[in-house]
Amino acid sequence: AQSVAQPEDQVNVAEGNPLTVKCTYSVSGNPYLFWYVQYPNRGLQFLLKYITGDNLVKGSYGFEAEFNKSQTSFHLKKPSALVSDSALYFCAVRAFNQGGKLIFGQGTELSVKP
Amino acid sequence: DAGVIQSPRHEVTEMGQEVTLRCKPISGHNSLFWYRQTMMRGLELLIYFNNNVPIDDSGMPEDRFSAKMPNASFSTLKIQPSEPRDSAVYFCASSLDRNTEAFFGQGTRLTVV
């Protein structure tokens, strides 16, 4: 069965510092990987995706993520964090050969302090 | 496009009552998901439709929950009878096909008292 793990419930960084939010996955076949962000009392917003091709993908708001097949990871990164990046971040995986259902990790709360 | 539209935004009901949540996916999308979000359990996939057909309903908690998608532009999630432990935010999401990103509605906050 497919699954996604986000090992950190919370990540704290200072504004201007680089940030990393970790994600590992388990799926048979080629994974389709996604990152979403959720602000308080809002729905989830799509940030970026990896389907195939370059392992480094760029997304909205300056975020990027690196796909590492050998480590089965898809960590979210940003070179310089902003206070406004503070939110809940979800990693997700779809497996085409498993019907295409979209499974989410448990979420990581990112807090960026001035 | 207006995005995924869910109604109502908030619902407060008494235990034992029937609750129906509604979702209009983005036009042209052929995959639809219902999720439940709680502090304890995070974001759980309840059911997933593709081309209006339920593909995976293994996340539906119990027989009190049912979901339908009578056509490509409408889906419902029904809870009957409702219980306090069903209190959560319920999200609907749709995607163009089986390997693309999903877009979420604003959610329905359900409170069962």
Side-chain angles (χ1 to χ4, degrees):
Chain A
Q2 64 192 87
S3 65
V4 177
Q6 295 179 239
E8 302 156 315
D9 290 337
Q10 186 162 13
V11 170
N12 298 306
V13 298
E15 187 175 31
N17 283 359
L19 69 86
T20 298
V21 183
K22 295 179 180 177
C23 171
T24 60
Y25 66 91
S26 174
V27 65
S28 59
N30 293 324
Y32 300 147
L33 297 158
F34 307 87
W35 274 101
Y36 286 79
V37 60
Q38 184 181 32
Y39 297 99
N41 300 313
R42 303 292 299 274
L44 278 70
Q45 297 177 33
F46 168 72
L47 275 179
L48 52 79
K49 65 181 177 183
Y50 172 82
I51 302 297
T52 187
D54 194 348
N55 289 343
L56 184 65
V57 293
K58 295 186 183 298
S60 306
Y61 313 120
F63 284 94
E64 57 189 28
E66 185 168 11
F67 171 64
N68 188 317
K69 188 173 183 178
S70 62
Q71 297 185 4
T72 62
S73 67
F74 188 56
H75 300 333
L76 181 70
K77 300 181 180 183
K78 187 173 182 180
S80 179
L82 300 172
V83 173
S84 57
D85 292 330
S86 298
L88 189 56
Y89 289 81
F90 290 94
C91 182
V93 64
R94 289 188 92 160
F96 184 75
N97 63 352
Q98 294 180 28
K101 69 180 181 180
L102 183 62
I103 299 297
F104 284 82
Q106 65 269 39
T108 298
E109 186 168 353
L110 173 66
S111 177
V112 182
K113 292 290 194 289
Chain B
D1 199 312
V4 176
I5 299 173
Q6 292 186 245
S7 63
R9 290 293 308 277
H10 302 273
E11 177 80 36
V12 180
T13 191
E14 292 185 346
M15 181 174 62
Q17 296 298 306
E18 175 182 304
V19 175
T20 298
L21 310 182
R22 297 172 175 81
C23 175
K24 177 178 169 54
I26 293 173
S27 177
H29 283 193
N30 64 20
S31 291
L32 184 139
F33 308 84
W34 282 101
Y35 291 90
R36 177 172 67 176
Q37 187 176 30
T38 61
M39 289 292 291
M40 292 297 293
R41 292 198 171 118
L43 198 61
E44 302 172 272
L45 176 63
L46 301 178
I47 188 167
Y48 159 49
F49 293 87
N50 195 56
N51 291 323
N52 312 337
V53 175
I55 303 299
D56 190 322
D57 65 355
S58 59
M60 296 287 263
E62 47 199 274
D63 291 346
R64 298 185 296 106
F65 285 69
S66 62
K68 294 182 179 180
M69 192 164 186
N71 57 61
S73 59
F74 184 65
S75 178
T76 59
L77 178 68
K78 183 182 292 186
I79 308 173
Q80 180 185 20
S82 57
E83 297 182 3
R85 60 192 168 123
D86 301 330
S87 298
V89 180
Y90 290 80
F91 287 105
C92 176
S94 70
S95 69
L96 188 61
D97 53 41
R98 291 199 289 177
N99 60 3
T100 57
E101 64 273 23
F103 294 89
F104 280 72
Q106 291 299 299
T108 295
R109 182 175 296 276
L110 173 65
T111 304
V112 183
V113 298

